Amino acid sequence: MGRKNKQISEVTATVDRGWHLARTPLEMDVADIEYALMRCYEAFGRWQAECLASVIEFSASGPENALLHIIGMNERPKTIRDLAHMTNREDIPNIQYSLRKLLKAKLITRTGSGRSGVNYDVTALGRRVIERYADIRSALLIEAVSRVPKLTGRLADSAHTLELMTGIYEQAARTAATHRRRHPLPEPKAARPGKSRG
C-alpha cells in the first residue's frame, strides 16, 4: 500500500461511519453507496438542466430531459411502455405529464391512437436540440471525465456495479412488498398522572 493510501486509510478509520442504517461494515459500505447515488443523481439532474438550458429556453427536469434523449435514441419511435421499461419507471402518470410538456414545446410528436398504440418521436427541432446537447456534453462533461487519471477505465465497472445494485434493489423491493403486513395503529399514550380538573 502506498504512503498516500495508508494515510487515507488511517483518516477513514478515525471517522465514525456508523448510524441506524450502518451498524456493520457491510451496512456502512451500502449506506455510503446509497448516499453517493443520491448526491450523484441530484448533480446529474442539475447538469442535465443546465446543459439543456444552454441549447434551448425550455425548463425541464432531469427525467424529462432523459425522456427526450431516449425518444430520440436509435431514431425509432417509442411507446410509453418502451419509455417506462427503458428508464425502470412505473409512474406512468408522471411520464405522461412529461410527454405533454415535451409535446407543448414541439420537441416531440405523437402518432397513433389508443387502439393501435401511441408512439412518440422527436421533431426536427427536437433532433437539433439533442444533437446540440450531445456537442456540449462532449465538450464539457466528456472532456472533464477524460482528464481524470484512470477514471475512464473504471466507468464500465461502475456501470456494471450500478446495474447489479438495481437488480438487488428490485428483488428486495418485491420481497418487502410480498411479505408486508398490515401494521396496527400505535397504542395511544397513557394520560400522564396529574391533578384532575374541576
Side-chain angles (χ1 to χ4, degrees), residues 10 12 52 99:
E10 289 171 354
T12 302
L52 186 63
L99 292 173

Side-chain angles (χ1 to χ4, degrees), residues 47 132-144 147:
W47 150 252
R132 179 62 181 147
Y133 183 104
D135 292 340
I136 295 172
R137 179 178 181 267
S138 181
L140 298 180
L141 184 70
I142 305 305
E143 169 62 21
R147 289 196 305 265

Side-chain angles (χ1 to χ4, degrees), residues 93-170:
N94 290 331
I95 294 175
Q96 291 171 325
Y97 172 78
S98 296
L99 292 173
R100 286 194 294 271
K101 278 184 67 175
L102 295 171
L103 284 164
K104 188 174 180 181
K106 298 184 172 24
L107 296 173
I108 63 170
T109 184
R110 171 186 163 144
T111 57
S113 65
R115 182 174 285 271
S116 62
V118 176
N119 288 285
Y120 296 89
D121 203 353
V122 291
T123 61
L125 172 61
R127 177 64 57 188
R128 290 197 302 273
V129 165
I130 62 175
E131 291 295 339
R132 179 62 181 147
Y133 183 104
D135 292 340
I136 295 172
R137 179 178 181 267
S138 181
L140 298 180
L141 184 70
I142 305 305
E143 169 62 21
V145 168
S146 71
R147 289 196 305 265
V148 180
K150 299 182 181 179
L151 178 58
T152 55
R154 293 159 47 192
L155 292 176
D157 286 340
S158 298
H160 183 63
T161 299
L162 290 173
E163 290 293 348
L164 283 173
M165 289 302 296
T166 298
I168 291 169
Y169 279 121
E170 290 285 353

Side-chain angles (χ1 to χ4, degrees), residues 174-195:
R174 279 192 295 272
T175 303
T178 301
H179 300 289
R180 182 171 54 215
R181 299 181 188 279
R182 185 173 182 176
H183 297 287
L185 292 173
E187 293 293 326
K189 292 182 179 179
R192 294 175 63 184
K195 294 180 180 179

Side-chain angles (χ1 to χ4, degrees), residues 28-149:
M28 290 176 191
D29 290 342
V30 173
D32 284 349
I33 197 170
E34 288 174 340
Y35 256 115
L37 277 170
M38 286 186 276
R39 290 191 292 261
C40 186
Y41 175 78
E42 295 299 331
F44 178 50
R46 282 192 294 276
W47 150 252
Q48 288 179 299
E50 291 300 328
C51 189
L52 186 63
S54 69
V55 176
I56 186 174
E57 285 190 24
F58 174 64
S59 178
S61 66
E64 289 164 353
N65 184 63
L67 286 175
L68 175 61
H69 292 284
I70 291 169
I71 291 169
M73 184 190 295
N74 298 328
E75 299 184 357
R76 68 173 178 83
K78 313 289 190 309
T79 64
I80 287 185
R81 187 174 190 160
D82 292 332
L83 298 171
H85 181 67
M86 294 170 78
T87 56
N88 196 30
R89 290 175 61 180
E90 296 178 346
D91 56 332
I92 301 301
N94 290 331
I95 294 175
Q96 291 171 325
Y97 172 78
S98 296
L99 292 173
R100 286 194 294 271
K101 278 184 67 175
L102 295 171
L103 284 164
K104 188 174 180 181
K106 298 184 172 24
L107 296 173
I108 63 170
T109 184
R110 171 186 163 144
T111 57
S113 65
R115 182 174 285 271
S116 62
V118 176
N119 288 285
Y120 296 89
D121 203 353
V122 291
T123 61
L125 172 61
R127 177 64 57 188
R128 290 197 302 273
V129 165
I130 62 175
E131 291 295 339
R132 179 62 181 147
Y133 183 104
D135 292 340
I136 295 172
R137 179 178 181 267
S138 181
L140 298 180
L141 184 70
I142 305 305
E143 169 62 21
V145 168
S146 71
R147 289 196 305 265
V148 180

